[in-house]
Amino acid sequence: MYNFDFVKPATVDEAVKALADDEAQALGGGQTLIPTLKQRLASPSKLVSLTGIAEMKGVSKQGDAVVIGGGTTHRTVAEEAASAYPGLADLASRIGDPAVRNRGTIGGSLANNDPSACYPAAALGSGATIVTNSREIAADDYFQGMFTTALEEGEIITEVRFPIPQKSAYAKIAQPASRFPLVAVFVAQYGDGVRVAVTGASNNGVFRWSEAEAALSGNFAADALDGLTVASDDMIGDLHGTAAYRSHLVGVMAKRAVAAAS
Amino acid sequence: MSVAQPLPHDAARLHVTGAARYVDDIPTPRGTLHLAFGTSPAAAGTLTALDLDAVRESPGVVAVMTAADLPFDNDVSPSNHDEPLLATDAVHYLGQPLFLVVATSHGAARRAARLGRATIEKSTPILTIAQAEAADSRFEDGPRVYARGDVDAGFADAPHRLSGVMEIGGQEHFYLEGQAALALPGDNGDMHVHSSTQHPSEIQHKVAEAIGQHMHAVRVETRRMGGGFGGKESQGNALAVACAIAARATGRPCKMRYDRDDDMIITGKRHDFRITYDVAYDDAGRILALDVRHDTRCGWAMDLSLPVADRAMLHADNAYHLPAVRITSHRWKTNHQSATAFRGFGGPQGMLGMERIVDHVAHALRADPTAVRRANFYASGGDISGQKIQTTPYGQEVDDFIGHEMLARLEETADYAARRAAVDEWNARGGVIRKGLALTPVKFGISFTLTHLNQAGALVHVYADGSIHLNHGGTEMGQGLFQKVAQVAASRFGVPMEAVRITATDTAKVPNTSATAASSGSDLNGMAVRNACDTIRERIELHLAQLHQCRPADVVFKNGRVTAGGADYSFAEVAALAHQARISLSSTGFYKTPEISWDRIKGHGRPFFYFAYGVAAVEVAVDTLTGENRMLRADILHDAGASLNPALDIGQVEGGFIQGAGWLTTEELVWNDKGALRTHAPSTYKIPACGDRPEVFNVALWDGENRADTIYKSKAVGEPPLMLGIATLMALSDAVASCGEAYPDLHAPATAEQVLAAIHRARGA
């Protein structure tokens, strides 16, 4: 780890000011950033911890949406969103391991946009709104390829608004060593249609499987997906699995998510 | 008597409280330096330049050494003098040490090591078996062939014949404690080395050569390892030698431990194998002729590859009598880490090849694989019905076979027949989740195949207060050897366990030891300790017999008391008495295994003193849409002879089985096409965890004595249970076979993707 300064502001405004410095870096739960620093793959001059900002924490139901503060841990989401949005809570309860769930935050996960992270599938699959200190971004505009998002330098995710679906579920096959999704699919059924988001599979990060959405919007049943496949061209092929295997798993996981949706 | 008691591991309390001291925990003198290797970024080529200026200028660096700076032998090979500590001109694998950094801290050494700039004129690495065969890049001048009977005639007359190929992956040892060494320079050129090694005498030998001393100037001590599994039989040499050279050069203590990623990238692993077979059999599945070929990638150095590949050949029969067989073994030299010893030492790969063949034959006949296994078993050792005793393909008589009896017992205790029917019924419903059940045997030969290694020494002192100091050449790596041997010592003197002090393995106490390997630790060292104790005891008996006018044989050592001719002493009183009578209370002990002889070129003889047996029945579930799978239940019956310690032995059986199952399911080593190991941390390489064990896990020991005259009629238990894990792979094959008509042709490791591919094959897709 290289040397850096550390600040822990108490408000979003203070955090935004602190992040205005060159080479300043926001720190959520640190589940990705700290190992990166330890390997000297990043050298920020200043870390701005977002864990001391009370207004960025917590889960609440506001009308037809669940609103989650950007600094809320996975464990808190798993516990406090369970009644309002069980599919989302279930996803949060299965991220990584207990240590990751106790430290990692939804804002950190979405800002990092790891192609094998769980939360991007929930956000894109729910058509969530990413709220920052300066604007609101629709999930469809937010995810822009692996590790790439619509966030500007110094922009902080303060909360995420998830419209509550009629039914939803998350199906995941974990890479056995790291427990990251090898492939995972989030399915959510809304009054105006079905959304299907896939993580872990594509070289371009999380994506919506539009053919599946169209089929399921007409008939929300696993067999509505019979015969549908995703092309393996853009799938990740690595030491954990070939592109063809991942492509196959997208179909299997999508069906399982539909079957499990409640 | 303490022997046969299920006592806990002697250091269990220290292990779980963190108080057990490993090499890196030893308090070091002020000024101790720390070492790290700079390694090759290329798998093959010629090192033309090495720019180390930035390394030297890095904070905390005290010295940087290359091959040119080494004072004496530049070699850490355990066999063939083909393993330079630091590369000279040729580079043989990606991760090979090129230079050595000596610095004031572990971190400073590692950081500096990253700053070296090697210029390597790259050549095309030899990575695959096909590439090695095309280049004839191999160890020995050609393949080894062991054969017996008329194989060609067997094929000509046979009613059925099939052939196949199986790929078997390697395995990372993943000892909890990584490789580590600490060298403390003495005066007059002496060197005291603490090493996490299974083979202190080998460390002593290599360190002496490297610092230009005789072995008498080097003392190697090993209190314990945090796991070895064969990975510390030869792979610790580089660290100990590096520490000794640096300590000699700087006059300061030097310590080295590999970070986990470095450990996985630098050190050797289990050999991977390709098994190609052509088999002839009759309607009952009895094998009439077998032609099997082993191809193994040995990596860049010979290391222990020849005896490993030999042992694979010696287990190509597993528990089955093969009337006509030819085993051909190619040992390919490739640009990988030097494949090395790993629990089973080639035996598991050879045995798995045979189990695969039996499974394939059973599938072709649509027969229950267990019936085919039974049909091919060696004749029962206790009942050969007047026939000539059957022999292995290498000519050893199998006179102790208990496979029939163990199989029958396990079928009963595991409720095999009913569960077989239940699994078939479940699968007949045709759901997404399929089940599989398999019951496989293990017959494993016990002894080093290099006959002269089958010897051991011990040193026992009885102090005047009746306490006993125990030392022998075996090393403790968590397996419980020290406790089992201490139980022997306590039993010989009839004293409680507290009277016996277990001490670190030390080349200054017991010289010229063999590695703690080949499952031989208790067999060899237990006997050596028994002999040392008996020497002392006989001296005491003689003295007490004279004192009390009785026969020496009437002196009894029991429950901490010694009785002779009506007199009754505590053991401590007897020790003091003997001391006053000027009787030596210290003795060495020595043991060599009898009756063994072996010609590895002819492939004939009696390499093994006896065989250890086991049977495992494993039930699995497979998700046929993803290939994900898990064990549901495992029932094991294992033969440890008359167990020295059933608690420790059952622990070895449980751990061995799980390690074997991990090897064949989730543990996948992946190298890219440049020869870089991509799986070098637990985030990418999956060993079984507690949650991966089967929910129902019944392990029992076979109740029987070793027919051979071993220590208290016990049997070796270190390696054999690993091969019980083969039942897991065969159960997966069984589950997959229910999906279609074709043979699943399942390869190892059976990762989820591999299982899914096998399902497609079974379905003929």
Side-chain angles (χ1 to χ4, degrees):
Chain A
M1 211 179 264
Y2 294 102
N3 202 17
F4 55 82
D5 293 329
F6 180 80
V7 293
K8 193 173 180 180
T11 67
V12 172
D13 287 346
E14 286 171 31
V16 169
K17 285 195 190 84
L19 282 168
D21 289 5
D22 260 3
E23 306 297 321
Q25 166 75 50
L27 173 68
Q31 296 306 292
T32 300
L33 182 55
I34 298 295
T36 307
L37 295 177
K38 282 183 174 175
Q39 291 176 44
R40 296 193 162 197
L41 295 173
S43 54
S45 61
K46 180 165 70 177
L47 285 188
V48 180
S49 170
L50 305 180
T51 56
I53 303 174
E55 61 190 290
M56 276 176 54
K57 288 187 181 181
V59 178
S60 62
K61 186 164 182 291
Q62 297 178 12
D64 293 336
V66 168
V67 180
I68 299 172
T72 310
T73 64
H74 310 329
R75 179 180 169 180
T76 300
V77 174
E79 289 172 354
E80 297 183 8
S83 56
Y85 193 165
L88 177 65
D90 174 64
L91 174 145
S93 75
R94 293 192 282 143
I95 296 174
D97 55 35
V100 168
R101 293 194 289 274
N102 281 324
R103 290 291 307 168
T105 64
I106 188 169
S109 174
L110 293 176
N112 190 45
N113 192 21
D114 188 305
S116 296
C118 295
Y119 265 132
L124 190 60
S126 304
T129 301
I130 318 296
V131 182
T132 75
N133 55 294
S134 58
R135 57 183 171 143
E136 298 187 356
I137 311 168
D140 286 327
D141 301 325
Y142 176 83
F143 298 103
Q144 301 187 349
M146 62 162 71
F147 298 111
T148 310
T149 69
L151 292 177
E152 301 290 339
E153 285 295 317
E155 196 171 0
I156 298 169
I157 297 175
T158 54
E159 65 181 39
V160 187
R161 289 191 204 136
F162 290 90
I164 299 172
Q166 295 157 355
K167 284 181 172 183
S168 70
Y170 183 59
K172 167 165 90 170
I173 175 167
Q175 193 273 100
S178 72
R179 314 303 297 168
F180 270 100
L182 193 63
V183 166
V185 175
F186 193 89
V187 170
Q189 184 184 28
Y190 290 91
D192 59 352
V194 173
R195 293 176 73 102
V196 178
V198 181
T199 188
S202 169
N203 282 315
N204 299 315
V206 66
F207 69 95
R208 286 173 68 182
W209 185 12
S210 43
E211 293 88 343
E213 291 183 351
L216 291 169
S217 294
N219 172 22
F220 193 73
D223 56 16
L225 297 175
D226 282 351
L228 288 186
T229 54
V230 288
S232 61
D233 307 358
D234 284 333
M235 294 289 121
I236 298 170
D238 64 9
L239 66 166
H240 303 304
T242 60
Y245 185 50
R246 280 192 169 84
S247 166
H248 167 81
L249 290 176
V250 170
V252 176
M253 290 300 122
K255 283 188 178 181
R256 289 201 175 157
V258 172
S262 58
Chain B
M1 198 165 74
S2 54
V3 156
Q5 296 300 309
L7 303 175
H9 192 288
D10 54 283
R13 200 172 290 274
L14 301 181
H15 291 157
V16 298
T17 58
R21 197 176 267 181
Y22 298 86
V23 168
D24 199 36
D25 302 321
I26 297 171
T28 50
R30 191 172 57 185
T32 297
L33 298 172
H34 301 262
L35 274 50
F37 286 127
T39 58
S40 171
T46 306
L47 182 62
T48 55
L50 200 49
D51 178 0
L52 301 175
D53 290 348
V55 184
R56 290 196 176 86
E57 285 158 19
S58 186
V61 171
V62 173
V64 182
M65 303 176 99
T66 67
D69 302 315
L70 302 179
F72 298 97
D73 271 13
N74 178 16
D75 180 67
V76 290
S77 164
S79 57
N80 200 34
H81 277 259
D82 61 349
E83 216 171 311
L85 171 70
L86 300 174
T88 48
D89 52 349
V91 170
H92 299 284
Y93 75 103
L94 200 156
Q96 183 180 355
L98 302 178
F99 62 94
L100 177 66
V101 183
V102 184
T104 50
S105 75
H106 175 75
R110 289 195 68 216
R111 278 191 285 277
R114 296 286 185 275
L115 303 175
R117 292 289 165 263
T119 309
I120 293 169
E121 213 169 275
K122 288 184 192 170
S123 55
T124 307
I126 293 173
L127 299 172
T128 65
I129 291 169
Q131 288 168 339
E133 191 162 14
D136 199 34
S137 171
R138 62 165 80 229
F139 293 102
E140 300 192 294
D141 48 8
R144 289 254 71 74
V145 182
Y146 298 165
R148 77 125 165 247
D150 192 337
V151 177
D152 297 328
F155 279 115
D157 300 341
H160 307 287
R161 182 171 180 170
L162 63 77
S163 59
V165 182
M166 181 187 200
E167 304 284 349
I168 302 171
Q171 186 177 24
E172 162 64 29
H173 300 85
F174 228 103
Y175 22 62
L176 209 52
E177 177 213 22
Q179 306 277 351
L182 166 66
L184 303 153
D187 59 12
N188 199 22
D190 287 358
M191 195 63 66
H192 182 185
V193 179
H194 293 274
S195 170
S196 180
T197 179
Q198 295 172 238
H199 201 349
S201 284
E202 174 80 5
I203 298 281
Q204 180 193 23
H205 169 215
K206 299 310 294 189
V207 165
E209 283 181 352
I211 62 170
Q213 294 284 352
H214 291 295
M215 287 171 77
H216 65 199
V218 179
R219 174 183 169 203
V220 178
E221 212 179 327
T222 301
R223 173 57 186 88
R224 63 169 62 82
M225 287 160 273
F229 311 116
K232 293 172 178 172
E233 187 166 342
S234 63
Q235 302 298 297
N237 293 0
L239 298 90
V241 165
C243 285
I245 288 172
R248 179 184 176 276
T250 61
R252 292 161 70 173
C254 287
K255 183 159 93 170
M256 184 172 203
R257 66 174 164 85
Y258 289 157
D259 168 86
R260 180 65 62 181
D261 297 87
D262 291 349
D263 202 317
M264 290 184 76
I265 289 167
I266 295 171
T267 67
K269 295 142 208 337
R270 184 187 291 286
H271 289 71
D272 53 34
F273 268 67
R274 176 183 295 159
I275 310 263
T276 309
Y277 53 91
D278 190 359
V279 60
Y281 54 98
D282 67 14
D283 293 338
R286 269 190 298 267
I287 292 169
L288 306 173
L290 174 62
D291 193 357
V292 61
R293 171 175 164 148
H294 293 176
D295 288 275
T296 183
R297 296 189 298 176
C298 301
W300 71 288
M302 182 184 279
D303 197 341
L304 303 166
S305 290
L306 302 191
V308 166
D310 289 355
R311 188 170 278 265
M313 299 171 80
L314 297 178
H315 289 80
D317 60 337
N318 191 17
Y320 311 114
H321 181 246
L322 302 173
V325 57
R326 179 165 51 230
I327 309 153
T328 307
S329 170
H330 296 268
R331 297 93 193 263
W332 301 112
K333 183 177 182 176
T334 58
N335 294 108
H336 295 102
Q337 293 80 355
S338 175
T340 191
F342 196 138
R343 199 174 195 174
F345 207 72
Q349 296 93 319
M351 195 180 291
L352 174 56
M354 189 66 225
E355 288 303 325
R356 156 61 174 250
I357 291 161
V358 174
D359 188 63
H360 198 168
V361 166
H363 186 272
L365 290 169
R366 298 290 186 262
D368 178 3
T370 305
V372 175
R373 290 189 164 95
R374 190 175 262 127
N376 283 288
F377 265 171
Y378 283 104
S380 186
D383 173 23
I384 52 165
S385 311
Q387 293 172 30
K388 191 162 170 281
I389 292 177
Q390 290 175 334
T391 57
T392 63
Y394 47 90
Q396 172 158 355
E397 290 188 345
V398 182
D399 57 5
D400 61 0
F401 191 70
I402 49 175
H404 296 276
E405 295 84 349
M406 293 182 78
L407 184 67
R409 176 85 62 82
L410 192 71
E411 280 180 320
E412 192 184 315
T413 58
D415 198 16
Y416 179 78
R419 288 171 58 213
R420 176 76 264 167
V423 164
D424 291 343
E425 192 188 330
W426 170 280
N427 289 338
R429 288 180 218 155
V432 167
I433 304 296
R434 296 298 175 92
K435 292 182 178 177
L437 179 64
L439 203 164
T440 63
V442 169
K443 162 181 144 288
F444 192 77
I446 302 299
S447 293
F448 287 98
T449 55
L450 189 54
T451 301
H452 86 258
L453 297 179
N454 295 288
Q455 58 171 308
L459 178 65
V460 175
H461 306 320
V462 175
Y463 293 102
D465 66 353
S467 62
I468 298 161
H469 175 107
L470 171 65
N471 198 270
H472 55 80
T475 57
E476 175 65 40
M477 58 195 97
Q479 82 277 45
L481 169 68
F482 281 13
Q483 181 74 327
K484 285 164 77 169
V485 175
Q487 286 175 259
V488 170
S491 295
R492 299 319 282 181
F493 289 117
V495 296
M497 290 296 290
E498 303 79 63
V500 180
R501 192 69 169 183
I502 294 166
T503 59
T505 315
D506 187 339
T507 58
K509 288 182 179 170
V510 176
N512 310 321
T513 57
S514 296
T516 305
S519 306
S520 69
S522 298
D523 279 10
L524 298 177
N525 295 290
M527 276 296 202
V529 163
R530 186 187 82 169
N531 292 343
C533 294
D534 287 359
T535 300
I536 298 170
R537 201 176 69 173
E538 282 159 18
R539 291 178 195 148
I540 296 172
E541 284 169 356
L542 208 58
H543 177 62
L544 291 181
Q546 282 173 352
L547 209 59
H548 297 289
Q549 296 298 304
C550 64
R551 292 182 304 169
D554 295 333
V555 178
V556 177
F557 294 75
K558 200 176 173 187
N559 299 331
R561 311 294 300 177
V562 185
T563 54
D568 183 359
Y569 301 98
S570 69
F571 185 75
E573 287 166 339
V574 163
L577 210 59
H579 177 59
Q580 284 154 20
R582 298 192 293 179
I583 289 166
S584 166
L585 291 175
S586 174
S587 178
T588 60
F590 185 76
Y591 175 74
K592 57 180 176 181
T593 310
E595 298 174 35
I596 47 177
S597 69
W598 170 240
D599 183 333
R600 70 169 288 271
I601 301 302
K602 282 188 190 153
H604 195 85
R606 179 181 177 181
F608 305 122
F609 190 32
Y610 62 90
F611 295 101
Y613 298 95
V615 279
V618 174
E619 185 174 343
V620 298
V622 170
D623 179 332
T624 55
L625 292 179
T626 63
E628 286 174 291
N629 56 82
R630 61 176 302 124
M631 290 188 274
L632 301 175
R633 175 172 169 177
D635 294 80
I636 290 170
L637 183 57
H638 193 80
D639 162 36
S643 171
L644 287 174
N645 182 324
L648 290 173
D649 284 355
I650 284 176
Q652 286 294 292
V653 175
E654 290 172 344
F657 167 76
I658 294 291
Q659 191 170 40
W663 166 46
L664 298 175
T665 55
T666 60
E667 296 188 43
E668 185 179 30
L669 291 164
V670 180
W671 284 269
N672 68 13
D673 58 6
K674 305 261 191 307
L677 180 66
R678 301 288 294 117
T679 45
H680 49 76
S683 54
T684 47
Y685 183 81
K686 171 60 180 166
I687 61 169
C690 198
D692 296 309
R693 77 197 189 285
E695 205 159 305
V696 182
F697 192 13
N698 301 317
V699 177
L701 298 179
W702 177 249
D703 186 21
E705 292 188 338
N706 194 343
R707 283 171 62 150
D709 190 16
T710 52
I711 184 75
Y712 289 98
K713 295 280 187 181
S714 63
K715 282 194 179 184
V717 76
E719 294 164 293
L722 181 125
M723 286 149 274
L724 297 166
I726 291 171
T728 305
L729 189 73
M730 292 304 140
L732 289 170
S733 179
D734 182 54
V736 173
S738 78
C739 296
E741 291 299 307
Y743 187 60
D745 192 20
L746 184 61
H747 302 280
T751 60
E753 185 170 3
Q754 170 59 230
V755 169
L756 188 68
I759 289 167
H760 289 313
R761 284 192 290 270
R763 288 177 173 153

